Amino acid sequence: MDFHGKRVLITGVAGFIGSNLADRLLELGANVISVDNLFNGRLENLDIALKNKNFEFHKGDIRDLNFLLDLFKDVDIVYHQAAFTSVPQSVIMPNNCNDVNVNGVLNILNAARRMDVEKIIFASSSSVYGDTPTLPKREDMRRLPISPYGVAKLASEAYMQVYHQVYGLKTTSLRYFNVFGPRQRDSPYSGVIAIWLGRIIRDDDLIVFGDGKNSRDFTYIKDVVQANILAAEHDAPGEILNIGANLPITLTELAKLMLKITNKEHLNIIYTDPRPGDIIHSYADISKAMELIKFKPQYNQEQGLKDYFKWYINKYEIELQIN
Ligand SMILES: NC(=O)c1ccc[n+]([C@@H]2O[C@H](COP(=O)([O-])OP(=O)(O)OC[C@H]3O[C@@H](n4cnc5c(N)ncnc54)[C@H](O)[C@@H]3O)[C@@H](O)[C@H]2O)c1
């Protein structure tokens, strides 16, 4: 697709994924209109985008329908990335999570419908599968979320499908599997790779919740951004697509790989109690996305980790040697 002249709106733009997506869309020539309430996002993530004349940032909340109606005027594509994104916090504050992740999604859909937006691409999550034993996860299998966050994403996907069936909106949900890369926050509620990178830099041992046999399909941000671009280029209305690397790794293997890459093999891996809401195994079957939007991941975990660490070292001028 030629993005030149297209008006593309990103919600949650100051967050990890939204800001990377904005940079890529601007490179492709799109006009990017964007929104974030800065609950978890940071303006620092927009340092490249804000210098681009084709980028517009609005501080605001997706729970405010009137604000969205103004913003959605003449918009072609909406990328809905804004969310209450912490699984552990959703266990503590389920209502807040529902408010943003379900009511917020309904607002987005209603605003898009009223303002004749052509397409909505929604950031869903592998958390909808919960702890069902079948691996890899296929889109048509049973979903049994084990956190309020997972329930909210499942409800939102269903709304996306219904708004396609009932109102003809072109909606596509992308179920991301554990994304990592530049701009991911190092906080107790972040992804494990960002947390462990912070610990490696501080020369602290790595802490694993559970016995380390849990596995994840860690997916590099550049592949997730590419999936979003492809979802704009290829129509998959009313569909739900897994977006993963298709390469499961246990947490112990990941910890060892990170220590090896960073020359920090003297650090220990410490095992503690599992966290409520954490899934045991997660691994994506991506054949549907390969078929419908021609998705093909380019980064395995080692390549993604190295690319991420190099970006981090450069950005924060850290002394860390990468193998
Ligand atoms: N990072 C992952 O591994 C992962 C995996 C699966 C799904 N997802 C989904 O991808 C999307 C982006 O995730 P991320 O990792 O970039 O998270 P993030 O927390 O970095 O970004 C989310 C952004 O949404 C903003 N936001 C929150 N509530 C808002 C509101 N009410 N109004 C406007 N903005 C609001 C936050 O300030 C933040 O900038 C989310 O929908 C998330 O659920 C992420």
Side-chain angles (χ1 to χ4, degrees):
M1 173 187 283
D2 185 5
F3 279 94
H4 288 93
K6 287 268 175 204
R7 285 176 61 80
V8 179
L9 186 136
I10 305 176
T11 68
V13 73
F16 161 43
I17 298 173
S19 62
N20 280 286
L21 180 59
D23 287 349
R24 182 69 189 130
L25 284 163
L26 289 166
E27 275 170 15
L28 293 172
N31 290 313
V32 176
I33 303 110
S34 66
V35 48
D36 202 297
N37 68 352
L38 301 180
F39 171 73
N40 196 34
R42 288 176 295 186
L43 282 178
E44 182 197 325
N45 290 342
L46 300 176
D47 53 1
I48 299 172
L50 284 166
K51 291 188 193 118
N52 192 310
K53 63 175 177 21
N54 293 333
F55 182 73
E56 236 178 75
F57 174 70
H58 300 264
K59 181 164 186 257
D61 201 296
I62 58 157
R63 289 168 289 185
D64 179 348
L65 180 62
N66 288 328
F67 165 70
L68 292 183
L69 288 172
D70 274 351
L71 225 57
F72 279 29
K73 215 188 239 163
D74 300 324
V75 161
D76 300 304
I77 301 170
V78 170
Y79 282 106
H80 182 41
Q81 307 295 312
F84 184 106
T85 49
S86 163
V87 174
Q89 282 208 313
S90 82
V91 174
I92 300 163
M93 295 183 271
N95 289 50
N96 298 38
C97 174
N98 190 77
D99 203 23
V100 178
N101 291 7
V102 181
N103 296 335
V105 161
L106 263 176
N107 266 352
I108 296 283
L109 284 164
N110 288 328
R113 194 181 146 218
R114 277 170 62 179
M115 302 313 286
D116 290 325
V117 169
E118 198 182 302
K119 195 180 254 194
I120 301 186
I121 299 164
F122 168 60
S124 187
S125 160
S126 58
S127 64
V128 299
Y129 292 111
D131 264 338
T132 45
T134 315
L135 291 170
K137 304 295 185 196
R138 284 179 52 90
E139 291 86 346
D140 56 4
M141 64 184 269
R142 197 163 169 223
R143 293 132 319 164
L144 274 180
I146 55 167
S147 65
Y149 172 84
V151 171
K153 288 291 182 184
L154 186 55
S156 302
E157 286 181 350
Y159 273 124
M160 288 285 156
Q161 287 189 309
V162 163
Y163 269 62
H164 170 62
Q165 277 157 16
V166 178
Y167 306 113
L169 265 177
K170 282 186 186 169
T171 57
T172 304
S173 298
L174 303 181
R175 273 184 195 156
Y176 304 158
F177 281 65
N178 294 83
V179 191
F180 70 100
R183 301 190 182 132
Q184 189 162 33
R185 284 189 95 140
D186 166 17
S187 86
Y189 303 114
S190 300
V192 66
I193 293 178
I195 295 173
W196 283 353
L197 177 59
R199 296 189 70 88
I200 285 172
I201 288 164
R202 295 189 297 273
D203 227 25
D204 286 339
D205 294 335
L206 303 189
I207 312 244
V208 177
F209 295 110
D211 62 7
K213 292 185 183 139
N214 288 14
S215 65
R216 292 285 179 275
D217 193 356
F218 290 102
T219 311
Y220 195 48
I221 181 69
K222 289 186 181 168
D223 283 327
V224 170
V225 166
Q226 183 57 11
N228 277 282
I229 302 297
L230 291 167
E233 291 174 342
H234 302 270
D235 275 345
E239 297 290 350
I240 297 171
L241 308 174
N242 284 344
I243 301 298
N246 193 231
L247 291 169
I249 183 171
T250 68
L251 291 184
T252 298
E253 285 164 348
L254 174 73
K256 287 185 178 162
L257 180 61
M258 287 181 65
L259 294 177
K260 184 182 123 229
I261 293 175
T262 53
N263 273 309
K264 293 274 189 148
E265 280 161 307
H266 61 276
L267 296 179
N268 298 305
I269 302 170
I270 295 170
Y271 297 91
T272 69
D273 291 341
R275 291 187 307 187
D278 271 352
I279 287 163
I280 299 179
H281 296 295
S282 182
Y283 165 28
D285 178 325
I286 55 170
S287 46
K288 190 174 172 192
M290 288 175 94
E291 188 193 329
L292 293 188
I293 63 166
K294 313 295 172 218
F295 173 61
K296 195 168 180 296
Q298 302 295 315
Y299 289 81
N300 67 26
Q301 277 124 7
E302 185 162 350
Q303 290 163 325
L305 288 172
K306 286 183 176 169
D307 198 66
Y308 173 30
F309 296 168
K310 284 180 189 155
W311 172 88
Y312 198 99
I313 289 166
N314 197 27
K315 166 112 182 142
Y316 297 106
E317 298 175 0
I318 307 281
E319 296 230 351
L320 192 66
Q321 196 195 319
I322 302 299
N323 273 324

Short mmCIF file of all heavy atoms in Angstrom, two decimals, residues 11-18 35-42 45 60-63 80-85 100-101 122-126 149 153 174-180 183-185, ligand 1:
data_model
loop_
_atom_site.label_atom_id
_atom_site.label_comp_id
_atom_site.label_asym_id
_atom_site.label_seq_id
_atom_site.Cartn_x
_atom_site.Cartn_y
_atom_site.Cartn_z
N THR A 11 -3.80 5.00 18.50
CA THR A 11 -4.06 5.25 19.93
C THR A 11 -2.92 4.58 20.72
O THR A 11 -2.32 3.62 20.25
CB THR A 11 -5.40 4.64 20.37
OG1 THR A 11 -5.30 3.22 20.32
CG2 THR A 11 -6.56 5.10 19.51
N GLY A 12 -2.63 5.13 21.89
CA GLY A 12 -1.55 4.56 22.71
C GLY A 12 -0.19 4.81 22.07
O GLY A 12 0.75 4.03 22.24
N VAL A 13 -0.07 5.94 21.37
CA VAL A 13 1.13 6.19 20.56
C VAL A 13 2.39 6.42 21.40
O VAL A 13 3.50 6.23 20.90
CB VAL A 13 0.88 7.40 19.61
CG1 VAL A 13 0.89 8.71 20.41
CG2 VAL A 13 1.87 7.44 18.48
N ALA A 14 2.23 6.86 22.65
CA ALA A 14 3.42 7.14 23.45
C ALA A 14 3.92 5.88 24.15
O ALA A 14 4.90 5.92 24.91
CB ALA A 14 3.13 8.24 24.47
N GLY A 15 3.27 4.76 23.90
CA GLY A 15 3.70 3.49 24.50
C GLY A 15 4.75 2.81 23.65
O GLY A 15 5.21 3.33 22.63
N PHE A 16 5.11 1.63 24.10
CA PHE A 16 6.17 0.84 23.45
C PHE A 16 5.82 0.54 21.99
O PHE A 16 6.55 0.93 21.06
CB PHE A 16 6.35 -0.43 24.30
CG PHE A 16 7.03 -1.58 23.66
CD1 PHE A 16 8.17 -1.42 22.88
CD2 PHE A 16 6.54 -2.89 23.85
CE1 PHE A 16 8.79 -2.52 22.30
CE2 PHE A 16 7.16 -3.98 23.29
CZ PHE A 16 8.27 -3.80 22.50
N ILE A 17 4.72 -0.13 21.75
CA ILE A 17 4.41 -0.57 20.38
C ILE A 17 3.91 0.60 19.52
O ILE A 17 4.34 0.78 18.38
CB ILE A 17 3.39 -1.74 20.40
CG1 ILE A 17 4.01 -2.94 21.14
CG2 ILE A 17 2.98 -2.14 18.98
CD1 ILE A 17 3.08 -4.11 21.40
N GLY A 18 3.02 1.42 20.10
CA GLY A 18 2.46 2.54 19.33
C GLY A 18 3.54 3.47 18.80
O GLY A 18 3.47 3.92 17.65
N VAL A 35 -2.98 9.68 19.60
CA VAL A 35 -3.54 10.01 20.91
C VAL A 35 -2.94 9.11 21.99
O VAL A 35 -2.64 7.95 21.75
CB VAL A 35 -5.09 9.89 20.88
CG1 VAL A 35 -5.55 8.61 20.26
CG2 VAL A 35 -5.69 10.00 22.25
N ASP A 36 -2.77 9.72 23.16
CA ASP A 36 -2.34 8.95 24.34
C ASP A 36 -2.69 9.80 25.56
O ASP A 36 -2.59 11.03 25.50
CB ASP A 36 -0.82 8.72 24.30
CG ASP A 36 -0.39 7.53 25.14
OD1 ASP A 36 -0.60 7.57 26.39
OD2 ASP A 36 0.13 6.55 24.60
N ASN A 37 -3.09 9.17 26.65
CA ASN A 37 -3.36 9.95 27.87
C ASN A 37 -2.13 9.99 28.79
O ASN A 37 -2.19 10.54 29.88
CB ASN A 37 -4.58 9.41 28.63
CG ASN A 37 -4.34 8.05 29.24
OD1 ASN A 37 -3.31 7.42 28.98
ND2 ASN A 37 -5.27 7.58 30.06
N LEU A 38 -1.04 9.38 28.33
CA LEU A 38 0.24 9.34 29.05
C LEU A 38 0.12 8.65 30.41
O LEU A 38 0.90 8.92 31.32
CB LEU A 38 0.85 10.75 29.19
CG LEU A 38 1.11 11.45 27.84
CD1 LEU A 38 1.70 12.84 28.05
CD2 LEU A 38 2.05 10.63 26.95
N PHE A 39 -0.84 7.75 30.54
CA PHE A 39 -0.97 6.95 31.77
C PHE A 39 0.27 6.09 31.96
O PHE A 39 0.82 5.98 33.04
CB PHE A 39 -2.24 6.08 31.66
CG PHE A 39 -2.39 5.06 32.76
CD1 PHE A 39 -2.73 5.46 34.04
CD2 PHE A 39 -2.18 3.70 32.51
CE1 PHE A 39 -2.87 4.52 35.05
CE2 PHE A 39 -2.31 2.76 33.53
CZ PHE A 39 -2.66 3.17 34.80
N ASN A 40 0.69 5.46 30.86
CA ASN A 40 1.86 4.60 30.93
C ASN A 40 2.89 5.00 29.87
O ASN A 40 4.05 4.63 29.96
CB ASN A 40 1.42 3.14 30.68
CG ASN A 40 2.45 2.14 31.10
OD1 ASN A 40 3.16 2.37 32.07
ND2 ASN A 40 2.56 1.04 30.37
N GLY A 41 2.45 5.76 28.89
CA GLY A 41 3.35 6.15 27.81
C GLY A 41 4.22 7.34 28.19
O GLY A 41 3.99 7.98 29.22
N ARG A 42 5.23 7.60 27.36
CA ARG A 42 6.15 8.70 27.65
C ARG A 42 6.39 9.51 26.38
O ARG A 42 6.60 8.94 25.30
CB ARG A 42 7.50 8.13 28.11
CG ARG A 42 7.44 7.54 29.50
CD ARG A 42 8.75 6.92 29.89
NE ARG A 42 9.06 5.77 29.05
CZ ARG A 42 10.08 4.96 29.24
NH1 ARG A 42 10.91 5.17 30.24
NH2 ARG A 42 10.30 3.93 28.44
N ASN A 45 9.27 8.76 24.03
CA ASN A 45 9.15 7.75 22.97
C ASN A 45 8.81 8.37 21.62
O ASN A 45 8.90 7.70 20.60
CB ASN A 45 8.06 6.72 23.32
CG ASN A 45 8.47 5.83 24.47
OD1 ASN A 45 9.66 5.73 24.78
ND2 ASN A 45 7.50 5.17 25.09
N GLY A 60 -5.07 12.85 25.25
CA GLY A 60 -6.49 12.64 25.55
C GLY A 60 -6.77 11.18 25.84
O GLY A 60 -5.88 10.34 25.75
N ASP A 61 -8.03 10.93 26.19
CA ASP A 61 -8.39 9.61 26.71
C ASP A 61 -9.38 8.92 25.78
O ASP A 61 -10.36 9.55 25.36
CB ASP A 61 -9.01 9.80 28.10
CG ASP A 61 -8.95 8.53 28.90
OD1 ASP A 61 -9.58 7.53 28.50
OD2 ASP A 61 -8.26 8.53 29.94
N ILE A 62 -9.14 7.66 25.50
CA ILE A 62 -10.04 6.93 24.58
C ILE A 62 -11.41 6.68 25.21
O ILE A 62 -12.33 6.24 24.54
CB ILE A 62 -9.44 5.58 24.11
CG1 ILE A 62 -9.11 4.68 25.32
CG2 ILE A 62 -8.22 5.80 23.24
CD1 ILE A 62 -9.05 3.22 24.99
N ARG A 63 -11.54 6.96 26.50
CA ARG A 63 -12.86 6.81 27.14
C ARG A 63 -13.76 8.02 26.87
O ARG A 63 -14.91 8.03 27.27
CB ARG A 63 -12.68 6.57 28.64
CG ARG A 63 -12.12 5.19 28.91
CD ARG A 63 -11.67 5.03 30.34
NE ARG A 63 -10.46 5.81 30.60
CZ ARG A 63 -9.78 5.78 31.73
NH1 ARG A 63 -10.19 5.02 32.72
NH2 ARG A 63 -8.70 6.52 31.89
N HIS A 80 -5.54 0.61 16.92
CA HIS A 80 -5.89 0.78 18.33
C HIS A 80 -4.92 0.00 19.22
O HIS A 80 -5.03 -1.21 19.41
CB HIS A 80 -7.33 0.34 18.58
CG HIS A 80 -7.75 0.54 19.99
ND1 HIS A 80 -7.39 1.66 20.72
CD2 HIS A 80 -8.46 -0.25 20.85
CE1 HIS A 80 -7.87 1.56 21.95
NE2 HIS A 80 -8.51 0.41 22.05
N GLN A 81 -3.96 0.74 19.79
CA GLN A 81 -2.93 0.15 20.65
C GLN A 81 -3.11 0.52 22.13
O GLN A 81 -2.54 -0.12 23.00
CB GLN A 81 -1.52 0.64 20.22
CG GLN A 81 -1.20 0.43 18.76
CD GLN A 81 -1.13 -1.02 18.36
OE1 GLN A 81 -0.47 -1.82 19.02
NE2 GLN A 81 -1.82 -1.38 17.30
N ALA A 82 -3.86 1.59 22.40
CA ALA A 82 -3.98 2.05 23.80
C ALA A 82 -4.66 0.97 24.63
O ALA A 82 -5.60 0.32 24.19
CB ALA A 82 -4.81 3.33 23.86
N ALA A 83 -4.17 0.78 25.83
CA ALA A 83 -4.80 -0.20 26.73
C ALA A 83 -4.24 -0.06 28.13
O ALA A 83 -3.19 0.54 28.35
CB ALA A 83 -4.56 -1.63 26.22
N PHE A 84 -4.97 -0.64 29.05
CA PHE A 84 -4.46 -0.94 30.39
C PHE A 84 -3.66 -2.21 30.16
O PHE A 84 -4.24 -3.27 29.91
CB PHE A 84 -5.68 -1.18 31.28
CG PHE A 84 -5.39 -1.43 32.72
CD1 PHE A 84 -5.66 -0.45 33.66
CD2 PHE A 84 -4.89 -2.65 33.16
CE1 PHE A 84 -5.43 -0.68 35.02
CE2 PHE A 84 -4.65 -2.88 34.51
CZ PHE A 84 -4.93 -1.89 35.43
N THR A 85 -2.32 -2.12 30.19
CA THR A 85 -1.51 -3.20 29.61
C THR A 85 -0.89 -4.18 30.61
O THR A 85 -0.25 -5.13 30.19
CB THR A 85 -0.39 -2.62 28.73
OG1 THR A 85 0.29 -1.59 29.46
CG2 THR A 85 -0.93 -2.06 27.45
N VAL A 100 -10.98 0.69 30.44
CA VAL A 100 -10.14 1.11 29.31
C VAL A 100 -10.21 0.08 28.18
O VAL A 100 -10.38 0.42 27.01
CB VAL A 100 -8.67 1.32 29.76
CG1 VAL A 100 -7.80 1.71 28.57
CG2 VAL A 100 -8.57 2.36 30.86
N ASN A 101 -10.10 -1.20 28.55
CA ASN A 101 -9.89 -2.23 27.51
C ASN A 101 -11.18 -2.75 26.89
O ASN A 101 -11.13 -3.39 25.85
CB ASN A 101 -9.08 -3.40 28.08
CG ASN A 101 -7.65 -3.00 28.38
OD1 ASN A 101 -7.29 -1.83 28.28
ND2 ASN A 101 -6.83 -3.95 28.75
N PHE A 122 -6.64 -3.87 15.51
CA PHE A 122 -6.69 -3.87 16.98
C PHE A 122 -5.59 -4.74 17.58
O PHE A 122 -5.36 -5.87 17.14
CB PHE A 122 -8.08 -4.39 17.41
CG PHE A 122 -8.18 -4.71 18.88
CD1 PHE A 122 -7.95 -3.74 19.83
CD2 PHE A 122 -8.48 -6.01 19.30
CE1 PHE A 122 -8.03 -4.03 21.19
CE2 PHE A 122 -8.56 -6.30 20.66
CZ PHE A 122 -8.33 -5.32 21.60
N ALA A 123 -4.94 -4.22 18.62
CA ALA A 123 -3.88 -4.95 19.33
C ALA A 123 -4.50 -5.87 20.36
O ALA A 123 -4.83 -5.45 21.47
CB ALA A 123 -2.95 -3.95 20.02
N SER A 124 -4.67 -7.13 19.98
CA SER A 124 -5.13 -8.11 20.97
C SER A 124 -3.92 -8.84 21.55
O SER A 124 -2.78 -8.42 21.34
CB SER A 124 -6.14 -9.06 20.35
OG SER A 124 -6.68 -9.87 21.38
N SER A 125 -4.19 -9.94 22.24
CA SER A 125 -3.10 -10.55 23.00
C SER A 125 -3.26 -12.07 23.10
O SER A 125 -4.39 -12.58 23.18
CB SER A 125 -3.11 -9.93 24.40
OG SER A 125 -2.43 -10.76 25.30
N SER A 126 -2.13 -12.74 23.17
CA SER A 126 -2.14 -14.20 23.36
C SER A 126 -2.75 -14.58 24.71
O SER A 126 -3.05 -15.75 24.93
CB SER A 126 -0.71 -14.74 23.27
OG SER A 126 0.09 -14.10 24.25
N TYR A 149 -7.32 -9.00 32.34
CA TYR A 149 -6.75 -8.45 31.10
C TYR A 149 -7.10 -9.35 29.91
O TYR A 149 -7.55 -8.87 28.86
CB TYR A 149 -5.23 -8.33 31.27
CG TYR A 149 -4.47 -7.96 30.01
CD1 TYR A 149 -4.33 -6.63 29.62
CD2 TYR A 149 -3.87 -8.94 29.22
CE1 TYR A 149 -3.62 -6.28 28.48
CE2 TYR A 149 -3.16 -8.61 28.07
CZ TYR A 149 -3.04 -7.28 27.71
OH TYR A 149 -2.33 -6.96 26.57
N LYS A 153 -9.46 -8.50 26.57
CA LYS A 153 -9.00 -8.61 25.18
C LYS A 153 -9.92 -9.53 24.39
O LYS A 153 -10.21 -9.27 23.22
CB LYS A 153 -7.55 -9.12 25.14
CG LYS A 153 -6.52 -8.09 25.60
CD LYS A 153 -6.38 -6.93 24.61
CE LYS A 153 -5.34 -5.92 25.04
NZ LYS A 153 -5.26 -4.75 24.17
N LEU A 174 -5.11 -8.41 15.88
CA LEU A 174 -3.81 -9.09 15.84
C LEU A 174 -3.50 -9.55 17.27
O LEU A 174 -3.37 -8.70 18.17
CB LEU A 174 -2.72 -8.15 15.33
CG LEU A 174 -2.96 -7.53 13.94
CD1 LEU A 174 -1.78 -6.64 13.54
CD2 LEU A 174 -3.18 -8.60 12.88
N ARG A 175 -3.39 -10.85 17.45
CA ARG A 175 -3.07 -11.37 18.79
C ARG A 175 -1.55 -11.43 18.94
O ARG A 175 -0.92 -12.37 18.49
CB ARG A 175 -3.62 -12.80 18.94
CG ARG A 175 -5.01 -12.87 19.41
CD ARG A 175 -5.47 -14.31 19.63
NE ARG A 175 -6.92 -14.28 19.73
CZ ARG A 175 -7.71 -15.31 19.48
NH1 ARG A 175 -7.20 -16.47 19.13
NH2 ARG A 175 -9.02 -15.19 19.61
N TYR A 176 -1.00 -10.41 19.59
CA TYR A 176 0.45 -10.36 19.78
C TYR A 176 0.87 -11.38 20.85
O TYR A 176 0.21 -11.52 21.89
CB TYR A 176 0.91 -9.00 20.30
CG TYR A 176 0.55 -7.78 19.50
CD1 TYR A 176 0.52 -6.54 20.14
CD2 TYR A 176 0.27 -7.82 18.15
CE1 TYR A 176 0.22 -5.38 19.45
CE2 TYR A 176 -0.04 -6.66 17.45
CZ TYR A 176 -0.07 -5.44 18.11
OH TYR A 176 -0.37 -4.29 17.45
N PHE A 177 2.02 -12.00 20.60
CA PHE A 177 2.63 -12.91 21.58
C PHE A 177 3.89 -12.25 22.15
O PHE A 177 4.87 -12.09 21.42
CB PHE A 177 3.00 -14.25 20.92
CG PHE A 177 1.85 -15.18 20.73
CD1 PHE A 177 0.80 -14.87 19.88
CD2 PHE A 177 1.80 -16.39 21.42
CE1 PHE A 177 -0.28 -15.73 19.72
CE2 PHE A 177 0.73 -17.26 21.27
CZ PHE A 177 -0.31 -16.93 20.41
N ASN A 178 3.89 -11.88 23.40
CA ASN A 178 5.06 -11.33 24.11
C ASN A 178 6.05 -10.56 23.24
O ASN A 178 7.06 -11.10 22.80
CB ASN A 178 5.81 -12.45 24.84
CG ASN A 178 4.96 -13.01 25.95
OD1 ASN A 178 4.11 -13.86 25.69
ND2 ASN A 178 5.10 -12.51 27.15
N VAL A 179 5.74 -9.31 23.07
CA VAL A 179 6.57 -8.45 22.22
C VAL A 179 7.73 -7.89 23.04
O VAL A 179 7.57 -7.60 24.23
CB VAL A 179 5.71 -7.29 21.66
CG1 VAL A 179 6.46 -6.55 20.57
CG2 VAL A 179 4.37 -7.80 21.15
N PHE A 180 8.90 -7.70 22.40
CA PHE A 180 10.02 -7.08 23.11
C PHE A 180 10.80 -6.20 22.14
O PHE A 180 10.72 -6.37 20.92
CB PHE A 180 10.95 -8.12 23.75
CG PHE A 180 11.76 -8.93 22.76
CD1 PHE A 180 13.09 -8.61 22.50
CD2 PHE A 180 11.20 -9.98 22.08
CE1 PHE A 180 13.85 -9.34 21.58
CE2 PHE A 180 11.94 -10.72 21.15
CZ PHE A 180 13.26 -10.40 20.90
N ARG A 183 12.25 0.69 23.63
CA ARG A 183 11.21 1.51 24.30
C ARG A 183 10.32 0.70 25.22
O ARG A 183 9.39 1.26 25.81
CB ARG A 183 10.36 2.30 23.32
CG ARG A 183 11.18 3.24 22.46
CD ARG A 183 10.26 4.16 21.69
NE ARG A 183 10.99 5.04 20.81
CZ ARG A 183 10.69 5.25 19.53
NH1 ARG A 183 9.65 4.65 19.00
NH2 ARG A 183 11.40 6.07 18.82
N GLN A 184 10.57 -0.59 25.35
CA GLN A 184 9.78 -1.34 26.34
C GLN A 184 10.25 -0.90 27.72
O GLN A 184 11.45 -0.74 27.96
CB GLN A 184 10.01 -2.83 26.15
CG GLN A 184 9.07 -3.67 26.99
CD GLN A 184 8.99 -5.09 26.48
OE1 GLN A 184 9.97 -5.62 25.98
NE2 GLN A 184 7.84 -5.71 26.64
N ARG A 185 9.31 -0.69 28.61
CA ARG A 185 9.67 -0.15 29.93
C ARG A 185 10.27 -1.20 30.83
O ARG A 185 9.87 -2.36 30.80
CB ARG A 185 8.42 0.39 30.62
CG ARG A 185 7.99 1.70 30.08
CD ARG A 185 6.91 2.25 30.95
NE ARG A 185 7.50 3.15 31.90
CZ ARG A 185 6.93 4.31 32.26
NH1 ARG A 185 5.77 4.66 31.77
NH2 ARG A 185 7.52 5.09 33.12
N1 LIG B 1 3.88 -5.60 24.79
C1 LIG B 1 3.37 -6.80 24.61
O1 LIG B 1 4.05 -7.82 24.76
C2 LIG B 1 1.92 -6.97 24.21
C3 LIG B 1 1.44 -8.29 24.03
C4 LIG B 1 0.11 -8.46 23.66
C5 LIG B 1 -0.70 -7.37 23.44
N2 LIG B 1 -0.21 -6.11 23.64
C6 LIG B 1 -1.12 -4.98 23.40
O2 LIG B 1 -0.48 -4.07 22.53
C7 LIG B 1 -0.90 -2.74 22.83
C8 LIG B 1 0.31 -1.84 23.07
O3 LIG B 1 1.03 -2.38 24.19
P1 LIG B 1 2.40 -1.77 24.71
O4 LIG B 1 3.26 -2.90 25.10
O5 LIG B 1 2.90 -0.75 23.75
O6 LIG B 1 1.92 -1.07 26.06
P2 LIG B 1 2.23 0.39 26.65
O7 LIG B 1 1.67 0.36 28.03
O8 LIG B 1 3.64 0.75 26.45
O9 LIG B 1 1.33 1.33 25.73
C9 LIG B 1 -0.03 1.53 25.93
C10 LIG B 1 -0.29 3.02 25.80
O10 LIG B 1 -1.71 3.27 25.97
C11 LIG B 1 -1.84 4.48 26.69
N3 LIG B 1 -3.14 4.50 27.34
C12 LIG B 1 -3.55 3.75 28.38
N4 LIG B 1 -4.82 4.05 28.71
C13 LIG B 1 -5.22 5.01 27.84
C14 LIG B 1 -6.42 5.73 27.69
N5 LIG B 1 -7.47 5.52 28.49
N6 LIG B 1 -6.50 6.66 26.71
C15 LIG B 1 -5.43 6.90 25.90
N7 LIG B 1 -4.26 6.25 26.01
C16 LIG B 1 -4.15 5.31 26.96
C17 LIG B 1 -0.70 4.46 27.68
O11 LIG B 1 -0.37 5.73 28.20
C18 LIG B 1 0.43 3.85 26.84
O12 LIG B 1 1.19 4.85 26.20
C19 LIG B 1 -1.83 -2.85 24.03
O13 LIG B 1 -3.16 -2.89 23.58
C20 LIG B 1 -1.45 -4.18 24.64
O14 LIG B 1 -2.50 -4.74 25.38
C21 LIG B 1 1.08 -5.89 24.02
#
